[in-house]
Amino acid sequence: MGADTKKLRNRIKSVDSTLHLTKAMGLVASSKIRRATEAMNKSRQYAEAFGSTIKALVACPECAKSPYMAQRGENRTRLIVIAGDRGLAGGYNANVFRTLRSCSDADVIAVGKRACDRFGGGYLSAEKFSCEEAMEISKKLCADFVNNEFDRLGILYTKYVSVLSQEAQIKWVLPLQREANVRENSVLFEPDELSILELAVTEYIAGMIVAAVRESFASEVAARRSAMDSAEKNAQQMIDELQLDYNRARQGAITQELTEIVAGYGT
């Protein structure tokens, strides 16, 4: 019986250590959520504002001549895959790689340590990913697309729906698409629409990349906090159950000792 109580005591200590770890990681994730969502919202606003300008340009007939609007099919795909820097975030990274199966033949540019570990190269940190790095990627991608080195460009990122919900998805960036039933706008572009579009595309794609990375990081932090909350609840429940088993074992040991003492007095 003594061996049982010792084993249970060791298990309680082990689970308690895990509980402290999950609490600490949950607190770190909670402290990052506000800053991550603020950065995400700013990047969203920038990307949406820039996107409305690109839509206005693409709606102009003259811009149909742009190489960035060349429709070449879907045979050669290039994907920017944004995964997490760390694990212990529930199904966050697994959902990214599961979504990638729909484009298994894609040429991948990795962002985030988990993506870099899987595909090699890339940009190790999603949390510290900079605008300069986004521009570096964008310039290379735009040059390669104009040189007909791939047919379409997408960004595989995780959309932040709420603290409890995040969705991995692909946003297609190139070629630029003219929306159906879009009227030509009355905005005047100088010197002309095509020239402005050619200059703006690199900045636009860089902004899209930054927005996707910021949103993915906010999703990662939220997913990690939810995962740590669940792990904390499970660990506490396990400790309670083990403590109950320990108390029963200890009570049984005491009862046995008393029985042996009483039996000894009776002889």
Side-chain angles (χ1 to χ4, degrees), residues 76-139:
R76 298 172 301 165
T77 299
R78 192 168 292 185
L79 272 183
I80 300 169
V81 177
I82 305 166
D85 294 339
R86 290 171 290 277
L88 297 177
Y92 172 80
N93 290 307
N95 291 336
V96 171
F97 298 131
R98 189 180 301 115
T99 304
L100 182 60
R101 293 174 188 170
S102 62
C103 297
S104 57
D105 296 331
D107 180 19
V108 170
I109 298 172
V111 176
K113 189 175 186 304
R114 295 294 174 172
C116 292
D117 290 345
R118 193 179 185 99
F119 301 108
Y123 299 80
L124 278 173
S125 178
E127 180 177 2
K128 299 178 181 179
F129 187 80
S130 67
C131 294
E132 289 76 18
E133 288 173 319
M135 183 57 71
E136 175 188 332
I137 297 173
S138 180
K139 287 179 178 178

Side-chain angles (χ1 to χ4, degrees), residues 139-242:
K139 287 179 178 178
K140 176 69 165 59
L141 290 172
C142 287
D144 287 351
F145 187 79
V146 170
N147 292 329
N148 197 25
E149 294 189 20
F150 61 92
D151 297 327
R152 61 174 180 167
L153 170 68
I155 304 175
L156 200 174
Y157 74 110
T158 303
K159 181 180 179 181
Y160 183 96
V161 180
S162 70
V163 174
L164 300 176
S165 178
Q166 304 84 35
E167 299 174 357
Q169 60 184 34
I170 298 175
K171 180 180 291 185
W172 297 107
V173 181
L174 288 176
L176 299 175
Q177 301 280 352
R178 182 178 183 178
E179 295 182 0
N181 302 320
V182 173
R183 296 180 181 178
E184 292 184 39
N185 59 79
S186 58
V187 179
L188 295 177
F189 294 95
E190 295 290 344
D192 59 79
E193 293 88 349
L194 182 58
S195 298
I196 297 298
L197 180 64
E198 301 282 301
L199 291 172
V201 168
T202 304
E203 290 278 356
Y204 168 65
I205 292 176
M208 294 280 285
I209 294 170
V210 170
V213 173
R214 298 285 184 269
E215 187 150 358
S216 290
F217 178 67
S219 297
E220 178 189 356
V221 173
R224 181 169 293 112
R225 194 184 79 168
S226 295
M228 292 304 100
D229 285 347
S230 296
E232 183 180 337
K233 290 177 182 177
N234 291 337
Q236 187 60 61
Q237 182 179 355
M238 187 177 294
I239 288 174
D240 292 342
E241 293 173 353
L242 289 170

Side-chain angles (χ1 to χ4, degrees), residues 1 4-5 8-9 11-12 237-253:
M1 190 66 71
D4 289 341
T5 56
L8 287 167
R9 191 162 55 243
R11 286 190 64 192
I12 290 171
Q237 182 179 355
M238 187 177 294
I239 288 174
D240 292 342
E241 293 173 353
L242 289 170
Q243 189 66 53
L244 184 60
D245 291 341
Y246 174 81
N247 291 339
R248 287 172 177 168
R250 181 64 180 151
Q251 185 177 14

